[in-house]
Amino acid sequence: MEGSTSDTELRALVEHFYHFGIKHPGSKIGKLFEDEIFSRFQALGLNPRKQEIPITAWECREWSLKLDDEIIESFYIPYTAFSSAEGVKAPLVFLNPKNFDELHDSIHGKIAVVEFEFPDLVGWQLKAMALKCIDPENEIPNSTIHPATWIRLHWDLYHKAAKAGAVGFIGVLKNQPGNNCRYFAPYGFREGDDILKKPIPGLWVSGLQNEKLRQAMNESKELRLLLKGQSFQSSTSNIIGVIPGSGPNNFLMGCHHDTPFLNAVEDSSGMAALIKTVEEIKKIPQLKHSVYVIATAGHFYGSIGTRKFIEASTELLGKTSLALWMEHFGFSAVEENGKLVSAARAETPGIFCSFNKGLVRRLEKLLLKYKIFPALILPPESPLGNYPPTDGGDFHAHGVPIINFISNPVYLLVDDDRLEFVDYERIINFSKMSCELLKSLDHSNLENLKNRDYGLRRKILNFLASLMKVSH
């Protein structure tokens, strides 16, 4: 496929989105990118509109962590409170769930430190959880695949430390591949409107700094933590277009348009896939049912765009037969000399699908046809959460049948996400597959998509999820 016109144009599109800048919700660049997407939807004949959403934007301008005269490499924890101009200076206290109650009374006036060790993604566990494992060449190992770098166990210690009187917070990223501390999280995915309720300033450091911090605590040394910036009233917007049909039902498809850094995979690749899929659909005879195309706002602001779209679209959702979401088309990464580089093989996606056997069978057939494998068709509710960890996951929580494509390579939430990681061939194959999927559903009995199957599997997954909650 290399060298074809479609591939060349796709590469140019992804690179344009990538170089556009850091698209934080409510920022100047974020708003300019919304205009860019609006114009592209216009050019595609989608008759777009903007759904503007007021927000309190958060912008960090300066941060630092100092031990005596030494600067310790760090990065801000987004949406935490800003410090004074001088910062906060205090001794450290290391916390974990086992010693928190014991140390509770000694936390006041100190900077709390918590070590975050991401849990491993284990192949056999994911296969056992999956509704279908699409792996004809046996590429998914049974052993550990890589750390799940979006899962921050024990983040609740931040809020507990704040309530106990801590004046600052340091999170140690013990096993982030590449030892990068420039990590944009948490960003409100499970917090919703509580995203700004983080009352003390916080910084991330890499695992390389852990021993230095422990030594400083043992020697009762004080560290100075600085986090300066501003919060201001702003807005962000969903961009909503439509390929109109005459039928009574509709399909939704979308991707979020904001990014944490200058990101190639998260989610310049997803936005390019959305536009490419629209182009594929426009090539075929008109679908009977309408297709709503949504570039959602504020994934990195508590998924506010998806939530506000749902709030304003009760009637539309009642007629929606499928929400097809697409995020992150990238290669896996490996460490070389302490840096992350492309492994030149596709990151295995998790494709979250409703508990519907007919939809799963249809999806499996198309994944094999378009060579989108290895892949895991995952349940929408499981020990991973009660709805998919995608920007389209909320649709499942509101009763809409879903297919949510996402991959989670280890560089997504750090600033290692570069153009070399983008899997262009998979974007093209996915767009063609999505077009065929919607075309085939357009002529089927859409009421069948509302069936909930896998009764025994659902009971087992719910039981496992309850055990996970108890253990955490």
Side-chain angles (χ1 to χ4, degrees), residues 71-134:
I71 296 178
I72 297 176
E73 186 179 6
S74 63
F75 190 72
Y76 62 79
I77 300 179
Y79 305 112
T80 56
F82 296 117
S83 69
S84 65
E86 298 76 25
V88 295
K89 188 175 183 182
L92 304 180
V93 56
F94 270 72
L95 304 176
N96 63 59
K98 295 180 179 178
N99 73 3
F100 181 83
D101 291 337
E102 175 187 339
L103 296 176
H104 181 277
D105 294 338
S106 63
I107 295 172
H108 186 83
K110 294 183 179 178
I111 297 173
V113 184
V114 174
E115 298 170 331
F116 289 84
E117 189 161 5
F118 302 119
D120 287 330
L121 282 179
V122 181
W124 73 264
Q125 294 175 346
L126 292 172
K127 293 177 190 179
M129 190 186 309
L131 300 177
K132 281 289 181 179
C133 177
I134 317 297

Side-chain angles (χ1 to χ4, degrees), residues 5 16 44 68 104 123 191 230 311 322 327 331 388 458 464:
T5 302
H16 177 66
L44 288 166
D68 298 326
H104 181 277
E191 295 171 303
Q230 63 173 345
E311 288 176 14
L322 182 73
E327 301 177 41
F331 292 126
R458 283 188 279 123
L464 293 175

Side-chain angles (χ1 to χ4, degrees), residues 14-53:
V14 173
E15 290 176 15
H16 177 66
F17 287 170
Y18 173 75
H19 289 298
F20 207 93
I22 300 173
K23 309 166 193 73
H24 287 172
S27 68
K28 181 178 179 180
I29 293 177
K31 286 175 174 289
L32 289 173
F33 192 65
E34 291 167 1
D35 293 338
E36 167 80 7
I37 297 302
F38 187 92
S39 295
R40 289 187 177 271
F41 278 20
Q42 276 186 319
L44 288 166
L46 298 180
N47 191 24
R49 63 181 176 87
K50 285 188 178 183
Q51 180 189 8
E52 189 172 12
I53 304 165

Side-chain angles (χ1 to χ4, degrees), residues 329-347:
F329 295 80
F331 292 126
S332 295
V334 293
E335 281 190 79
E336 289 185 2
N337 300 318
K339 300 293 184 181
L340 292 179
V341 298
S342 174
R345 64 175 182 273
E347 177 78 8

Side-chain angles (χ1 to χ4, degrees), residues 418-429:
R418 305 181 300 274
L419 287 167
E420 70 181 82
F421 290 117
V422 178
D423 188 345
Y424 296 97
E425 183 174 359
R426 177 151 289 183
I427 293 174
I428 292 173
N429 290 345

Side-chain angles (χ1 to χ4, degrees), residues 169-295:
F169 183 87
I170 298 172
V172 181
L173 302 172
K174 287 190 69 176
N175 63 333
Q176 168 64 45
N179 292 307
N180 194 339
C181 68
R182 296 178 66 86
Y183 176 74
F184 196 93
Y187 49 87
F189 176 64
R190 300 291 186 186
E191 295 171 303
D193 292 328
D194 290 336
I195 186 170
L196 294 175
K197 295 180 180 178
K198 297 183 176 70
I200 55 176
L203 297 176
W204 294 116
V205 301
S206 79
L208 299 175
Q209 310 296 338
N210 201 40
E211 289 305 314
K212 185 177 295 183
L213 296 180
R214 283 199 171 273
Q215 184 177 350
M217 181 188 71
N218 293 335
E219 296 175 1
S220 299
K221 288 187 175 181
E222 294 187 331
L223 272 75
R224 186 180 299 277
L225 187 159
L226 178 72
L227 184 63
K228 294 171 65 176
Q230 63 173 345
S231 296
F232 54 95
Q233 294 306 302
S234 187
S235 65
T236 186
S237 296
N238 291 328
I239 314 300
I240 305 164
V242 63
I243 304 172
S246 58
N249 297 88
N250 60 73
F251 306 114
L252 305 180
M253 64 181 193
C255 176
H256 66 86
H257 60 65
D258 58 317
T259 67
F261 298 104
L262 195 65
N263 291 79
V265 174
E266 166 93 72
D267 214 340
S268 298
S269 69
M271 281 303 307
L274 181 63
I275 288 174
K276 186 67 179 174
T277 302
V278 172
E279 291 175 349
E280 291 294 329
I281 293 173
K282 299 282 278 189
K283 293 177 184 177
I284 64 175
Q286 185 176 29
L287 295 174
K288 179 170 65 174
H289 301 291
S290 298
V291 181
Y292 284 82
V293 184
I294 313 165

Side-chain angles (χ1 to χ4, degrees), residues 310-422:
I310 289 171
E311 288 176 14
S313 307
T314 303
E315 184 177 350
L316 178 69
L317 293 186
K319 299 177 182 178
T320 297
S321 299
L322 182 73
L324 173 64
W325 236 249
M326 53 201 79
E327 301 177 41
H328 317 161
F329 295 80
F331 292 126
S332 295
V334 293
E335 281 190 79
E336 289 185 2
N337 300 318
K339 300 293 184 181
L340 292 179
V341 298
S342 174
R345 64 175 182 273
E347 177 78 8
T348 299
I351 307 175
F352 292 87
C353 184
S354 296
F355 287 112
N356 184 287
K357 289 184 177 180
L359 190 58
V360 170
R361 284 194 295 267
R362 194 182 297 257
L363 178 58
E364 178 186 17
K365 181 179 178 180
L366 289 171
L367 290 170
L368 288 168
K369 177 178 178 178
Y370 288 95
K371 298 187 181 337
I372 300 176
F373 54 73
L376 293 160
I377 301 179
L378 295 173
E381 303 162 20
S382 71
L384 294 175
N386 57 1
Y387 61 94
T390 68
D391 206 44
D394 289 86
F395 290 104
H396 170 72
H398 286 77
V400 177
I402 64 160
I403 292 176
N404 285 186
F405 178 103
I406 191 170
S407 66
N408 282 285
V410 296
Y411 50 79
L412 279 191
L413 297 178
V414 292
D415 67 350
D416 287 318
D417 182 1
R418 305 181 300 274
L419 287 167
E420 70 181 82
F421 290 117
V422 178

